Amino acid sequence: MIVFGGSRSTGLGWEVAKILGNDLGKSELAKFPDGELYIRIDTDVKGKECALIQSTRTNEDLIELLLTLDALRGQGATQVHAVIPYMGYMRQDKIFKKGEALSSKTVIKLVDEVSDSLSMVNCHFLNSEEEAFYHHTHISNLNAIPLLAEYLRSKISKPMVIAPDKGSLGYAMETAKLLNCDFDHLQKTRVSGTEVVVKNKKLDVKGKDVIILDDIISTGGTIVEASRIIRGWRPASINVGCVHGLFLKGVEMFQGVSDRLIATNTLDNPVAKVSVAGVIAKHLKK
Ligand code: R5P
């Protein structure tokens, strides 16, 4: 198999190719003066199975992904696997207000059109590790939660997991099971894209090393508010972990808020301490 790493996931692409014992495929990416992207596949892929690893954090990442997948097919690859560690647009997986676009469906359909398989790491609307069908497209959902749990196991002694909202309760339960500890969740209400309110009865976290886990940290609003409330209940420490660290306002905002902040490398960021390369390589070997 030839592994390609898109511009958003170059490092991860290298890591996966290395684990699989393969070279990384070569491609050229350029931008026209009007902003349109240009892709050219440099490696001979005719008759070969290929995988493209590319998170789609921006619209441009998505276009690069689609063009590259289709170009690989155009060059005669037998199978083209889309591996999208962080796939954007997955949070709009429901029509919340009449008239809204169902973005997740549209974007997945586009990828499906130009690839033979689709896998993601902790897709926002799927539960842990599973093979799922979403509007007729098969998705392999890879799970990075055990990796985060293992990392934290070696750092803390009295864990207790708290989900910042009901939506991430599944992750908290899974982590608590792995670490053999208690779990609970907060009640979050989203006021706007940047503002959340967390209301809660007091939880008994005194002396505990609290772990707050979410699939995505975007603006950081959810975690900062959750940490502020938990801090008032006097835990021994607050350890924040996420799979996808977008950190739109930087990681500095967590200083003094949490004692530890970690993420996986589905996206590059200064706290990407846990690599999902092994999980992806294992999936591609199947
Ligand atoms: C929402 O459903 C997600 O699981 C995260 O809780 C959310 O994306 C976090 O966003 P922010 O960091 O902007 O509060």
Side-chain angles (χ1 to χ4, degrees):
M1 177 181 297
I2 306 180
V3 176
F4 287 79
S7 65
R8 182 62 67 185
S9 304
T10 315
L12 190 49
W14 271 108
E15 267 189 73
V16 173
K18 199 171 159 204
I19 295 173
L20 292 174
N22 299 341
D23 286 337
L24 196 67
K26 289 198 179 82
S27 62
E28 186 189 338
L29 166 70
K31 203 184 256 189
F32 289 107
D34 59 1
E36 289 182 359
L37 298 185
Y38 167 91
I39 297 283
R40 197 176 70 83
I41 307 297
D42 251 347
T43 302
D44 181 13
V45 295
K46 197 158 190 229
K48 303 266 172 58
E49 190 176 359
C50 295
L52 170 64
I53 299 171
Q54 162 81 336
S55 285
T56 56
R57 154 106 162 61
T58 63
N59 295 336
E60 210 163 87
D61 295 338
L62 178 63
I63 297 294
E64 178 189 334
L65 173 96
L66 296 171
L67 295 179
T68 310
L69 290 169
D70 208 24
L72 288 169
R73 273 190 163 176
Q75 289 305 302
T78 49
Q79 292 265 301
V80 176
H81 305 290
V83 180
I84 312 179
Y86 169 72
M87 188 164 184
Y89 285 104
M90 295 302 108
R91 280 179 285 179
Q92 184 71 23
D93 64 316
K94 287 186 189 69
I95 295 179
F96 300 95
K97 281 191 201 142
K98 188 173 177 285
E100 284 177 349
L102 187 53
S103 314
S104 53
K105 179 183 164 207
T106 309
V107 171
I108 285 174
K109 231 160 73 175
L110 289 171
V111 175
D112 192 36
E113 194 59 37
V114 289
S115 62
D116 298 295
S117 81
L118 167 60
S119 48
M120 303 180 208
V121 177
N122 295 98
C123 168
H124 178 68
F125 60 79
L126 293 175
N127 297 314
S128 294
E129 188 150 1
E130 60 178 323
E131 301 292 320
F133 274 93
Y134 180 71
H135 293 276
H136 311 295
T137 299
H138 180 262
I139 303 170
S140 298
N141 190 36
L142 313 181
N143 189 11
I145 295 296
L147 302 175
L148 291 168
E150 270 319 307
Y151 180 91
L152 289 169
R153 187 200 294 280
S154 60
K155 308 280 177 200
I156 57 180
S157 55
K158 290 184 189 150
M160 172 170 180
V161 192
I162 299 188
D165 56 26
K166 263 195 163 167
S168 44
L169 185 57
Y171 297 132
M173 286 166 70
E174 187 183 349
T175 308
K177 198 169 164 198
L178 289 164
L179 299 181
N180 195 20
C181 68
D182 291 336
F183 65 90
D184 214 320
H185 73 91
L186 302 177
Q187 308 273 358
K188 173 181 96 174
T189 312
R190 184 165 283 289
V191 182
S192 69
T194 53
E195 207 188 328
V196 293
V197 176
V198 176
K199 286 194 184 136
N200 231 80
K201 63 175 189 336
K202 185 172 186 264
L203 301 178
D204 185 12
V205 299
K206 203 158 177 212
K208 297 280 187 189
D209 295 308
V210 169
I211 297 173
I212 310 177
L213 279 188
D214 213 343
D215 58 339
I216 304 169
I217 295 182
S218 180
T219 64
T222 301
I223 295 294
V224 167
E225 183 60 5
S227 302
R228 192 185 62 76
I229 288 181
I230 292 170
R231 183 73 75 192
W233 299 333
R234 300 187 173 273
S237 67
I238 296 183
N239 306 269
V240 171
C242 68
V243 178
H244 312 295
L246 278 80
F247 300 119
L248 301 182
K249 297 185 180 170
V251 291
E252 298 72 25
M253 71 186 292
F254 294 89
Q255 273 166 19
V257 171
S258 62
D259 301 291
R260 177 173 287 109
L261 175 66
I262 61 162
T264 78
N265 61 348
T266 60
L267 292 166
D268 287 337
N269 61 61
V271 295
K273 309 263 187 219
V274 172
S275 177
V276 295
V279 170
I280 293 174
K282 191 172 163 205
H283 168 68
L284 289 174
K285 265 192 209 159
K286 279 186 196 161

